[in-house]
Amino acid sequence: MDGDFCNDHFALIYESRSDQFAAIAPFIRQGLERGERCMYVVGEDEATEVRSALRNGGIDVDAALESGALVIETIENTYLKTGSFDADEMMDRYAEIIEEATADYEAFRLAAEMSWILEAEVSVEESMAYESKVNALFDDEDAIAVCQYDRDRFPPTVLRDVVRVHPHLIYDNTVCHNFYYTPPEEFCGPNQPRHELDRMLGTLLDRTEAKTELQERERYQQRQNEIISDPDSSFEEKLQDLFDLGSERFDLELGGMARVDPDDDRFELEYVSGDHNRFEPGVELPLSETFCALPAETGSTASVADPDVDGYADLESCREFGVRAYLGTYLEIDGGSDRAFAFVDSDARNEPFSDDEHAFLQSMGQWVKYELEQHHRERELERTIDRLEESNERLEQFAYAASHDLQEPLRMVSSYLQLIERRTGDDLSEELREFLSFAVDGAERMRRMIEGLLAYSRVETRGEPLEPVELDEVVEDVRENLQVRLDETDAELSVEPLPRVQGDGNQLRQLLQNLLSNAIKYSGETPPRIEVTAERDGTMWELSVRDEGIGIEDDARERIFDIFDRLHGREEYDGTGIGLALCERIVERHGGEIWVESEPGEGSTFSVTLRKAAPAE
Ligand code: ADP
């Protein structure tokens, strides 16, 4: 019942037990949870049924009864204690019950069956007088009551009166604000028909106005949605449309937006609707001399209907710019300057701005804030991407130039070493020959490293466009390339039928060649056992190369993909440490991932994901 005046006395009209307890069980449960004393008044023969219905509603009835938080009282012991019903006496009794309950508990909560009225032969007037007293008593106390009426048992005429005297009703599990409510004092008074007519006409008008207002609100909301979701207009165009929409909705001449900085007392108009000589984008003022200082202070919406009445006639924007009505909101912009979004008029208003108008302005403001922050984020992102691309390009160029230019002097070293070797022949001592062969070896290793580096730097720049590639064929090529080593090591290579993927054939060949030659190289003491498999994973294929070799320790699984990183000395296993780095870069270029799972001593499985081949056009 938020935001709605509500007295503490409800009527529940129910049509079945389940209907009744759908409302009453949560009502009692909430009371118990809040530490209130709850009393249920019921006919003697119904007590058992009520207990089990409350239990079904999730209430620990026995514990609540035992602690005294819940009391189940009979009608015979309350309303009809003296044998017949006496309203005043009942009020006294309730006053006592409430006093006793509120001494020990947070509040008092009552649910009462009213069927006894039927048997006690209470007249309508009497029961209305009683209702009026209940209203008054419960209003002043920390107490709330729900009187329950069984629709099947009460005649419609009585229930009609029940409806008339309760400001709020629970019906069909809905709490209703009651348009038919007539205060009991009027209901019983001498001018009943006139009062009723007044009330009916007033209600008619109220409801029609409320409906029209609701429709109008919906229409403006709808128009706002249309403006902001228009895919063909720019932010500036949408802003102008919102200014027009707001001007119409608030009946104010123009809308605008300004950059504001409360710390520096700055206000600079950024956008304004229509053409004006005074209000132009770029106009600067101290923020404190504008109405926008008001929303800036609260951080939300603020309005002035009449500066003379509200005491703002001295503001420069009022004196110099003639602003006499103002509705504005403050927008804190994450990552950019804060803004004030406002509508103004040169005439004061008679009426203050309504909650609805504030809410509509706020909803427009929220969109503007979101858009500005979004623009800001996009710009940041673009800048970051530009910077990254630039630095990436520089790195690639560097790696390319370095490795390319290093080849030349290295070739010279190699060829002169070979020349010396050839010329001197057998003349050299054993020792010098050994030195010379170390030098030749070193130069050869360096050549391979430089070649690897060059290949690495060229993955992005020299790659072919990605197109459908038969992995079966790629593996066959690789098998041919590696045939000598496979034979030498007595390797067993089994390959499952493989799919078509989207890729650069040369790079995929390089990738598989590196993975397979590693599987051969790191096979350990026994002949290599290698398996190549593929498995579907959504739009990707997961290709795996499994070996039964030496395996990789947990803490090295990431590191082996770094350039030049190796886990073994050259004496143990020859290599440059570029192979897997190159694989990772190739897979990245293909939009996939590469990783390894391994059990040291048992073997390793290198897996890569690759996109499914694009369907033929
Ligand atoms: P290289 O083989 O030239 O040293 P790689 O980049 O291909 O360089 O591999 C990096 C390291 O990863 C290797 O030195 C090796 O220690 C480890 N490694 C690669 N493949 C395997 C494998 N199949 N089994 C065990 N270790 C491997």
Side-chain angles (χ1 to χ4, degrees):
M1 303 304 293
D2 281 345
D4 207 351
F5 165 78
C6 160
N7 82 346
D8 296 320
H9 178 201
F10 293 76
L12 163 66
I13 297 178
Y14 62 88
E15 294 181 349
S16 67
R17 267 276 189 256
S18 65
D19 190 18
Q20 177 186 15
F21 280 92
I24 288 299
F27 175 74
I28 298 282
R29 200 169 60 223
Q30 185 187 53
L32 293 172
E33 281 164 8
R34 290 185 178 181
E36 300 172 8
R37 165 167 283 172
C38 301
M39 180 181 277
Y40 200 119
V41 180
V42 63
E44 234 160 355
D45 47 341
E46 286 173 322
T48 322
E49 205 183 339
V50 163
R51 265 200 295 273
S52 84
L54 289 179
R55 239 174 245 130
N56 290 340
I59 297 168
D60 187 347
V61 175
D62 298 317
L65 284 172
E66 198 168 319
S67 74
L70 176 65
V71 181
I72 296 185
E73 212 24 296
T74 59
I75 284 161
E76 292 72 15
N77 216 5
T78 48
Y79 296 103
L80 303 180
K81 189 157 189 179
T82 52
S84 64
F85 176 68
D86 181 322
D88 289 328
E89 210 175 294
M90 192 60 221
M91 280 305 109
D92 291 346
R93 203 163 304 133
Y94 268 135
E96 266 170 46
I97 291 173
I98 292 172
E99 196 183 315
E100 195 195 315
T102 50
D104 295 334
Y105 291 86
E106 293 290 325
F108 176 67
R109 191 173 275 242
L110 173 72
E113 285 279 2
M114 301 307 280
S115 307
W116 57 270
I117 290 183
L118 295 168
E119 285 143 41
E121 289 173 1
V122 180
S123 72
V124 172
E125 279 72 26
E126 266 178 304
S127 74
M128 292 313 122
Y130 168 68
E131 296 290 359
S132 146
K133 285 175 182 156
V134 173
N135 278 349
L137 174 68
F138 277 67
D139 254 1
D140 294 341
E141 300 285 348
D142 288 335
I144 182 168
V146 175
C147 297
Q148 308 174 61
Y149 295 86
D150 184 341
R151 184 158 178 189
D152 289 339
R153 292 184 63 186
F154 281 87
T157 46
V158 175
L159 286 182
R160 193 185 58 197
D161 289 338
V162 168
V163 168
R164 285 196 174 133
V165 298
H166 289 84
H168 293 94
L169 282 171
I170 307 170
Y171 176 64
D172 199 12
N173 213 18
T174 306
V175 182
C176 312
H177 182 97
N178 186 3
F179 305 111
Y180 304 107
Y181 174 65
T182 316
E185 45 288 8
E186 274 180 31
F187 187 87
C188 303
N191 292 325
Q192 200 260 352
R194 211 187 64 219
H195 282 313
E196 195 170 354
L197 179 64
D198 281 352
R199 195 160 289 282
M200 283 169 84
L201 293 176
T203 302
L204 214 61
L205 216 60
D206 282 353
R207 293 193 62 180
T208 310
E209 274 170 10
K211 198 168 164 191
T212 321
E213 217 174 278
L214 205 66
Q215 280 170 344
E216 175 135 312
R217 205 188 301 173
E218 269 171 17
R219 260 203 308 276
Y220 276 105
Q221 199 62 50
Q222 174 70 25
R223 283 172 62 191
Q224 182 191 334
N225 291 346
E226 278 164 18
I227 292 172
I228 63 184
S229 59
D230 181 356
D232 298 326
S233 60
S234 66
F235 173 71
E236 279 76 14
E237 286 165 339
K238 290 177 183 179
L239 203 58
Q240 289 298 339
D241 289 345
L242 287 185
F243 288 150
D244 293 344
L245 184 68
S247 295
E248 187 186 323
R249 169 82 174 81
F250 310 130
D251 193 19
L252 295 174
E253 275 162 30
L254 57 107
M257 184 159 83
R259 292 172 182 270
V260 291
D261 183 347
D263 293 337
D264 269 357
D265 197 21
R266 276 171 52 89
F267 168 101
E268 184 193 336
L269 201 56
E270 192 182 12
Y271 296 101
V272 67
S273 64
D275 269 341
H276 305 272
N277 7 352
R278 311 224 53 188
F279 290 107
E280 267 180 9
V283 164
E284 285 187 46
L285 281 172
L287 177 62
S288 53
E289 285 298 325
T290 70
F291 288 98
C292 289
L294 302 173
E297 227 161 74
T298 60
S300 70
T301 59
S303 60
V304 175
D306 185 337
D308 295 333
V309 175
D310 299 334
Y312 295 107
D314 280 346
L315 286 183
E316 196 175 332
S317 66
C318 180
R319 280 185 289 114
E320 299 292 321
F321 289 83
V323 173
R324 296 191 52 77
Y326 173 90
L327 175 64
T329 183
Y330 190 77
L331 310 177
E332 199 182 309
I333 308 298
D334 201 12
S337 10
D338 290 353
R339 306 292 207 286
F341 181 78
F343 292 85
V344 298
D345 201 289
S346 53
D347 287 325
R349 290 216 332 182
N350 298 329
E351 297 269 310
F353 290 91
S354 68
D355 287 351
D356 242 26
E357 289 174 310
H358 279 259
F360 188 62
L361 176 74
Q362 198 171 19
S363 95
M364 286 197 282
Q366 263 159 5
W367 175 79
V368 175
K369 172 181 157 71
Y370 173 81
E371 281 294 296
L372 289 173
E373 289 179 347
Q374 185 71 11
H375 282 196
H376 184 78
R377 274 195 293 272
E378 276 166 17
R379 272 199 307 275
E380 278 288 287
L381 201 65
E382 274 165 22
R383 270 204 292 272
T384 312
I385 291 173
D386 284 352
R387 272 203 303 272
L388 270 177
E389 275 176 355
E390 233 169 72
S391 101
N392 222 13
E393 224 166 87
R394 270 202 304 273
L395 271 178
E396 260 165 24
Q397 272 165 10
F398 168 77
Y400 175 74
S403 41
H404 186 262
D405 295 354
L406 283 173
Q407 276 181 328
E408 182 47 37
L410 184 65
R411 232 176 260 133
M412 205 142 98
V413 173
S414 292
S415 40
Y416 279 99
L417 281 174
Q418 278 161 12
L419 208 64
I420 295 172
E421 217 174 15
R422 234 180 289 140
R423 287 272 174 90
T424 50
D426 296 336
D427 298 349
L428 277 184
S429 70
E430 184 78 9
E431 199 183 26
L432 282 183
R433 233 197 326 269
E434 202 182 25
F435 289 170
L436 205 54
S437 92
F438 284 154
V440 173
D441 253 17
E444 167 61 15
R445 217 172 50 246
M446 193 156 172
R447 187 186 62 76
R448 279 163 48 203
M449 286 172 92
I450 288 174
E451 245 171 31
L453 207 54
L454 207 56
Y456 185 83
S457 73
R458 283 172 168 171
V459 169
E460 286 289 337
T461 46
R462 302 282 172 95
E464 296 290 327
L466 304 189
E467 53 182 28
V469 174
E470 295 285 353
L471 280 180
D472 279 327
E473 290 169 16
V474 175
V475 175
E476 262 333 290
D477 288 352
V478 174
R479 191 203 283 270
E480 262 169 46
N481 288 347
L482 296 175
Q483 198 57 52
V484 177
R485 283 180 59 204
L486 288 166
D487 292 342
E488 273 171 8
T489 52
D490 207 8
E492 210 174 88
L493 169 61
S494 79
V495 183
E496 255 190 11
L498 299 177
R500 264 150 57 96
V501 296
Q502 195 68 6
D504 171 335
N506 286 330
Q507 292 188 341
L508 291 183
R509 192 170 309 117
Q510 180 81 65
L511 169 79
L512 274 159
Q513 176 137 345
N514 288 357
L515 293 180
L516 287 174
S517 58
N518 277 350
I520 301 170
K521 181 160 57 169
Y522 299 104
S523 67
E525 305 290 304
T526 51
R529 295 280 168 273
I530 308 165
E531 220 183 327
V532 182
T533 57
E535 212 178 295
R536 231 348 230 284
D537 181 8
T539 56
M540 307 291 276
W541 279 101
E542 188 178 312
L543 180 71
S544 297
V545 175
R546 185 195 321 277
D547 63 49
E548 295 175 11
I550 60 170
I552 300 158
E553 297 289 341
D554 276 1
D555 56 0
R557 266 175 224 162
E558 305 264 325
R559 182 152 78 74
I560 52 170
F561 294 100
D562 292 344
I563 202 159
F564 298 138
D565 218 321
R566 313 197 57 231
L567 305 180
H568 309 276
R570 249 182 323 107
E571 308 70 36
E572 241 182 314
Y573 294 101
D574 190 27
T576 56
I578 288 182
L580 288 178
L582 190 63
C583 289
E584 185 176 52
R585 207 157 153 79
I586 290 174
V587 174
E588 271 170 11
R589 177 175 176 236
H590 283 69
E593 280 176 64
I594 182 166
W595 69 96
V596 63
E597 283 158 287
S598 177
E599 188 66 48
E602 302 283 319
S604 316
T605 305
F606 283 84
S607 304
V608 302
T609 49
L610 294 168
R611 283 216 183 93
K612 272 168 45 184
E617 305 238 324

